[in-house]
Amino acid sequence: MRRGSIAALLGLALIAGGVATAVALVPTWLPEDASQQAGRIAFTFWFVIAICIFIFAIVAAVMVYSVMKFRVRDDDFEDGPPIHGHTGLEITWTIIPFILVTGIAIVSAIVLSRNDAQAQDTLRVNVLAQQFEFTFSYPDAKNVTSPVLMLPKDRSVELYMRSVDVIHSVFVPQFSVKEDIVPGLVTQLHVTPTRLGTFPLECTELCGLGHSLMRSQAVVVSPAAFNTWLKKQEKNAGPSSTGTSTTPTTSTSTTSSTTPISSAQAGLTVFNSNGCSACHTLSAAKATGKVGPNLDNLVAYAKTAKQPLEAFVQQSIVDPGKYVQPGYSDGIMPTNFGQSLTKEQLDHLVAFLAQSARQSGNK
Ligand code: CUA
């Protein structure tokens, strides 16, 4: 190859690379980082972009050079000479992409595993998605609910997300994390906010007519301000911690149930705020779902499973695959549903379901 050709190729590569670099750097493609995860995602992004620009510069230079140098002349009607392979070239263009793609895979794997790594004091937030709103609740703080996602700065946060109807997806661009919320599953999303401020939180899965309106906010405040906020919400929610959900009156039939009413009431709130009614029928909660077993029949189910009622109900929530009522499919009830409840919530829910089931059984 002549020196002139190499210089021409290099010049073309520099021009193509320069233009691509300008396109990458001049517009602001990514929002300003507001989470630890975002910093790592941005690093991966720029790592891949740099590789892309390098490859683009080579390909564009060779292409433009070939078009200029080897194009057909006006009076030339002959075919070009036949060419058969070039082992050295083929090995080169296989090995270089192999190294680059492996590099991308390694960097991505490290970033993904670091992004999911929870700290010891991870804050748990439950997210309930439905057409067309998000509800956030804080199980460690009497399950107070909020229409916006309040978060303390610099603390690892794990979202446990459920949908009562269709597939939604939660995305905060400044956090660079996104996860679908799928009916029948509890999906998880981990984030560590690093910047104070209010950021848009939006649904990014077409979920119906109101999809474009399904927006909320992630509000990152100092840990002290966050605790003050939580305390205030707890106070507003009242000592009975029945939350904000509307509470249908429990069955009016008179029974000699010994379960304390407050626990059952709290259980109803847990039932309502976790979307159980989407799949289950339960007259005490005015629920009419048909996907899973009818919870008015729990007494009979427990008998079939040969277990005491309370133990049976608890097992069915925590380990739904252990006993599956004939006629219903295994694997529909989220297996990690129990993990998203606090011990207290689980006890309330079990008490509530057992009490309601006994009442319907006595009717
Ligand atoms: Cu929910 Cu789109």
Side-chain angles (χ1 to χ4, degrees):
M1 217 180 195
R2 280 177 302 112
R3 221 182 233 171
S5 310
I6 293 175
L9 274 170
L10 254 178
L12 286 168
L14 283 177
I15 292 170
V19 170
T21 305
V23 171
L25 293 183
V26 174
T28 313
W29 293 107
L30 297 181
E32 204 187 328
D33 295 355
S35 78
Q36 253 175 34
Q37 286 72 15
R40 299 188 191 116
I41 295 284
F43 172 78
T44 315
F45 178 81
W46 289 116
F47 179 70
V48 174
I49 290 291
I51 291 173
C52 290
I53 290 175
F54 172 68
I55 300 281
F56 172 76
I58 294 174
V59 171
V62 172
M63 215 165 66
V64 171
Y65 179 82
S66 303
V67 165
M68 292 192 317
K69 169 113 192 190
F70 303 114
R71 72 176 184 278
V72 82
R73 306 290 151 189
D74 282 344
D75 55 348
D76 179 4
F77 296 105
E78 277 179 59
D79 285 343
I83 295 170
H84 181 260
H86 187 296
T87 311
L89 203 56
E90 283 173 22
I91 289 174
T92 310
W93 76 43
T94 306
I95 284 183
I96 292 177
F98 175 79
I99 292 170
L100 293 178
V101 171
T102 308
I104 293 173
I106 291 172
V107 168
S108 304
I110 293 173
V111 164
L112 285 178
S113 77
R114 289 224 184 137
N115 273 2
D116 280 343
Q118 296 181 25
Q120 288 234 308
D121 64 335
T122 296
L123 171 75
R124 167 189 291 187
V125 182
N126 289 339
V127 181
L128 187 72
Q130 57 190 308
Q131 293 168 316
F132 298 97
E133 61 177 7
F134 294 105
T135 308
F136 306 95
S137 56
Y138 299 78
D140 299 333
K142 295 190 185 157
N143 218 30
V144 298
T145 59
S146 164
V148 297
L149 178 60
M150 288 289 279
L151 297 175
K153 185 172 170 279
D154 294 327
R155 181 159 167 202
S156 153
V157 178
E158 186 79 11
L159 304 179
Y160 287 76
M161 313 195 290
R162 264 189 297 276
S163 166
V164 299
D165 37 45
V166 299
I167 303 177
H168 302 276
S169 183
V170 76
F171 181 42
V172 179
Q174 284 79 359
F175 290 170
S176 283
V177 291
K178 171 150 90 169
E179 183 68 47
D180 280 4
I181 313 180
V182 184
L185 293 177
V186 180
T187 52
Q188 283 169 246
L189 185 61
H190 181 245
V191 68
T192 312
T194 50
R195 193 150 60 85
L196 299 175
T198 300
F199 311 105
L201 181 154
E202 52 202 60
C203 176
T204 49
E205 186 73 55
L206 183 58
C207 56
L209 275 179
H211 161 67
S212 62
L213 304 172
M214 191 164 169
R215 288 161 169 269
S216 178
Q217 286 168 330
V219 182
V220 180
V221 296
S222 70
F226 177 74
N227 285 333
T228 315
W229 176 81
L230 260 193
K231 291 246 165 61
K232 210 170 131 204
Q233 299 299 310
E234 280 180 39
K235 218 181 258 168
N236 290 349
S240 65
S241 81
T242 42
T244 51
S245 62
T246 50
T247 314
T249 47
T250 32
S251 176
T252 47
S253 67
T254 49
T255 51
S256 56
S257 171
T258 51
T259 319
I261 211 74
S262 61
S263 178
Q265 280 286 338
L268 174 61
T269 305
V270 177
F271 187 91
N272 282 333
S273 59
N274 286 284
C276 306
S277 59
C279 293
H280 293 289
T281 291
L282 180 66
S283 45
K286 297 201 167 72
T288 55
K290 293 273 186 289
V291 179
N294 181 334
L295 301 182
D296 286 329
N297 302 337
L298 279 174
V299 175
Y301 296 159
K303 240 173 233 159
T304 323
K306 298 194 178 67
Q307 285 189 49
L309 182 58
E310 267 82 3
F312 172 70
V313 171
Q314 170 138 1
Q315 175 197 285
S316 302
I317 295 169
V318 176
D319 188 5
K322 193 127 187 197
Y323 170 84
V324 179
Q325 180 63 24
Y328 294 93
S329 315
D330 190 10
I332 306 248
M333 171 85 179
T335 50
N336 57 353
F337 175 80
Q339 291 163 23
S340 68
L341 301 176
T342 61
K343 169 90 177 58
E344 201 183 17
Q345 286 180 309
L346 180 63
D347 292 345
H348 290 330
L349 186 58
V350 170
F352 166 66
L353 291 174
Q355 188 193 19
S356 319
R358 285 208 177 92
Q359 285 177 359
S360 353
N362 285 351
K363 257 183 225 158

